[in-house]
Amino acid sequence: MDYLQIQGPTKLSGSVDISGAKNAALPLIAMTLLASNEVTINNLPNVVDIKTLIKLLSNLGATATLNKCSVKIDTCCLTNTKATYDIVKTMRASILVLGPLLSRFGHCEVSLPGGCAIGQRPIDLHLKALEQMGAEISIEAGYVLAKAPNGLKGAHIVFDKITVTGTANIVMAAALAKGKTIITNAALEPEVVQLCQVLKHAGIGIDGIGSSELTIYGTDGRLVEIEPFDIIPDRIEAGTYMCAAAITNSEVTINKIRPDHLEAVSAKLEQMGFTLVVKKDSITVKPSTKLKAVDIITQEFPAFPTDMQAQFLALCTQVQGVSIIEERLFENRFMHVSELQRLGADIKLKGNSATISGKQQLVGADVMATDLRASSALVLAAMVAEGTTNVHRIYHLDRGYVELEKKLQSLGANIKRLKE
Ligand code: UD1
């Protein structure tokens, strides 16, 4: 197993290019199930989660040609509609094949994803919405068995909670359904917006893109032709490098990004006292001598993202004063706190709130990554910790960050990948 060894403290400088967004790529790969042609996806992040979903499609009978930053996927000859446990258990987002498989074939079996490190993460909202569209759903032997012998029908779906993959799943199901589907309380995340835009470009009628009410006009089973497209930049990867600049109090330019997808993150850094130079597709973070504590609440887009919570928690340990971070999306998303405490951070947890007292001089230690974003928070903290930190179990990190150690090395970090 690989681990990362980081020597701190360190200063960074220079610029870094951001890769395509993993969370946009996943639904867009699942979307190829709706295509009549071979689909070319560019600016693909070369990370494990992407390879996992491509493998899932290949197991179903799709052909996929993967290059470093692009993939061609052809699902025309696909006949198998069973997404098996061995793949789904490694990546919850596999559930994204449920909507498109059901709407195209009228039946499918998808393994239940189960819980994960950050909370229960049920899929009840996905299933309820598909039932409203006429699906018959049962759970047998750990699998979701879904049938719609006469095809899915448009319906008015009102999500009780905003769900990102739930919205994506229902958009894809609705695309081939019969008639009109309205999704009220839809997710506004840029990754959902891109899915809708690509489908619209392929000829699916979709109104309200980027709003909380989407109307999708289904094709009644007709597959669509999808032109090549580029995945949007990864706003969470970008935010993580902004935090890398901030925690080391260094000047770093983050390139190839969409600053409008990062407004909540940028606003928090400015509130802390950092100066940001925002251009069309880059942000430069400038160091500051006057930093202050902030309060953060994680919420759905466009508010502060839960996927940046761990990185900001690490950052708050280096700012004078008391910061409070409230996690509103996932019930168990503070696993990184005990690891940061091992480095010397002063953090108190109560319910879904973390109180961080800064500024603490962190000291290197052995720590363990517990989930994808928690892993990057540990790397950030390690860059300001005195001495050597070994971050173990970085397979979490490899699920979602493209060549993290190489990108950080190019900025001047003393980081290397070693074998246990
Ligand atoms: C997506 C992102 C993940 C991010 C999360 C929140 C992908 C692949 N993953 O995850 O990185 O942290 O959005 O921004 O895009 N819920 C239910 N029932 C459901 C579905 C969700 O109760 O059927 C709850 C969840 O437990 C959670 C909340 O709704 O509390 C939001 O979850 P959701 O938006 O669905 O997260 P994901 O799409 O899994």
Side-chain angles (χ1 to χ4, degrees), residues 23 121-126 163-165 306-307 329-330 333:
N23 285 356
R121 303 186 80 177
I123 54 159
D124 56 315
L125 301 173
H126 304 230
T163 161
V164 177
T165 48
T306 173
D307 287 352
L329 275 108
F330 294 109
R333 205 171 195 178

Side-chain angles (χ1 to χ4, degrees), residues 67-194:
N67 294 313
K68 193 159 183 270
C69 291
S70 73
V71 66
K72 288 180 194 296
I73 303 175
D74 191 343
T75 65
C76 74
C77 304
L78 190 144
T79 46
N80 178 9
T81 57
K82 182 169 180 176
T84 51
Y85 178 66
D86 54 330
I87 292 201
V88 178
K89 74 169 186 215
T90 63
M91 188 185 64
R92 296 184 46 80
S94 307
I95 197 67
L96 282 163
V97 299
L98 177 64
L101 277 180
L102 183 60
S103 64
R104 173 164 164 189
F105 295 98
H107 62 89
C108 65
E109 288 176 56
V110 179
S111 172
L112 273 174
C116 79
I118 63 172
Q120 272 193 358
R121 303 186 80 177
I123 54 159
D124 56 315
L125 301 173
H126 304 230
L127 302 186
K128 202 171 130 200
L130 290 172
E131 280 175 340
Q132 271 184 269
M133 296 176 77
E136 293 162 20
I137 292 183
S138 57
I139 309 287
E140 282 173 36
Y143 278 79
V144 178
L145 266 57
K147 285 186 208 145
N150 302 315
L152 292 175
K153 291 180 195 59
H156 186 179
I157 312 297
V158 182
F159 278 125
D160 290 343
K161 257 190 198 177
I162 297 174
T163 161
V164 177
T165 48
T167 304
N169 232 338
I170 300 311
V171 165
M172 290 188 279
L176 300 194
K178 194 185 180 102
K180 179 171 88 172
T181 298
I182 299 174
I183 305 176
T184 299
N185 207 21
L188 308 181
E189 269 67 4
E191 295 77 18
V192 173
V193 170
Q194 183 172 31

